[in-house]
């Protein structure tokens, strides 16, 4: 069997002297011959950039994504009839400061993922609470312009995730801290072409 997937997307941008606002939305539609068109996913986002001062920029963004687990005879567990619906929402805010050739960014984020029950044959539901979580993150980044095209940067990230329930397979808590440190070199040309070379280290603590 096969399916035809169509993913229409749209966006709007509103610009003013102090910044801009961007709206975006998308859908994922699927059609299997002999069946009806199904809505497999949807997404939406709102992003705002606002200049607080000449060299001080505030960035904020809200996103919401929804999708349903696909069910098929090859990849789905036996007895699964209707895949789980999942929703992921996040809010991010950053402050960016320019000081000559140097740049500094401080950011914070909050996220929530909810996964509904999977419906099994016979009308039985199976909980996915161990896939649902809430979390927050912190970000710090410093950069320096070597030339109008090339910049060096270092970035540090820390994220915390709290799961609604212990893992269904191991019985252990999946709550964790994730740490990541990265350093790299970026290039941005007037033509719009960009390139990046970086390396880093990540660590997850349960």
């Amino acid at each position: 069997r096969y399916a035809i997937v169509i993913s229409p997307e749209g966006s709007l941008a509103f610009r003013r002297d102090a910044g801009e606002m961007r709206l975006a939305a998308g859908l994922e539609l699927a059609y299997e011959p002999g069946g009806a068109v199904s809505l497999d996913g949807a997404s939406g986002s709102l992003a705002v950039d606002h200049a607080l001062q000449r060299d001080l920029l505030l960035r904020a963004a809200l996103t919401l994504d929804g999708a349903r687990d696909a069910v098929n005879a090859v990849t789905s567990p036996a007895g699964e009839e209707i895949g789980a619906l999942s929703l992921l929402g996040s809010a991010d805010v950053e402050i960016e400061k320019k000081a000559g050739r140097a740049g500094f960014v401080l950011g914070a984020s909050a996220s929530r993922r909810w996964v509904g029950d999977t419906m099994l044959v016979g009308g039985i539901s199976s909980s996915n609470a161990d896939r649902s979580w809430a979390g927050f993150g912190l970000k710090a980044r410093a950069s320096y312009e070597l030339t109008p095209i090339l910049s060096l940067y270092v970035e540090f990230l820390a994220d915390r995730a709290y799961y609604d329930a212990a893992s269904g397979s191991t019985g252990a808590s999946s709550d964790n801290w994730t740490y990541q440190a990265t350093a790299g070199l970026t290039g941005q040309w007037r033509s719009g072409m960009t390139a990046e070379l970086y390396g880093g280290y990540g660590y997850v603590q349960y």
Side-chain angles (χ1 to χ4, degrees):
R1 302 180 64 181
Y2 66 91
I4 300 173
V5 178
I6 302 175
S7 302
E9 297 180 351
S11 61
L12 291 172
F14 304 91
R15 294 181 175 85
R16 301 185 64 181
D17 292 341
E20 68 175 32
M21 179 175 68
R22 300 177 298 278
L23 297 168
L27 299 173
E28 183 175 308
L29 306 172
Y31 170 74
E32 292 188 7
V37 176
S38 62
L39 175 61
D40 286 354
S43 63
S45 66
L46 167 65
V48 176
D49 296 345
H50 180 72
L52 301 175
Q53 299 176 9
R54 180 179 177 182
D55 296 319
L56 188 63
L57 181 66
L58 171 67
R59 301 182 189 274
L62 297 172
T63 61
L64 180 62
D65 298 294
R68 185 175 293 279
D69 292 348
V71 176
N72 61 67
V74 178
T75 61
S76 301
E80 190 170 307
E81 190 172 47
I82 301 176
L85 175 66
S86 64
L87 299 174
L88 175 60
S90 64
D92 300 86
V93 62
E94 290 184 357
I95 292 288
E96 180 179 347
K97 172 66 176 179
K98 288 286 189 179
R101 291 190 174 187
F104 305 92
V105 176
L106 292 176
S109 63
S111 304
R112 169 64 175 164
R113 187 188 188 211
W114 172 83
V115 183
D117 292 349
T118 299
M119 299 304 298
L120 307 177
V121 174
I124 302 172
S125 63
S126 175
S127 174
N128 290 299
D130 59 342
R131 295 170 56 193
S132 300
W133 54 268
F136 66 89
L138 299 173
K139 170 183 176 180
R141 179 184 176 109
S143 61
Y144 186 80
E145 290 185 1
L146 300 174
T147 72
I149 295 175
L150 299 177
S151 297
L152 284 172
Y153 75 89
V154 292
E155 184 175 86
F156 301 94
L157 303 174
D159 295 284
R160 175 63 166 165
Y162 299 93
Y163 281 78
D164 290 11
S167 170
S169 58
T170 65
S173 172
S174 297
D175 296 352
N176 66 81
W177 277 99
T178 300
Y179 306 97
Q180 182 177 321
T182 308
L185 177 68
T186 62
Q188 185 167 1
W189 288 260
R190 291 183 180 180
S191 63
M193 184 179 72
T194 61
E196 183 171 356
L197 178 66
Y198 65 92
Y201 178 77
Y203 174 70
V204 180
Q205 179 181 10
Y206 289 94

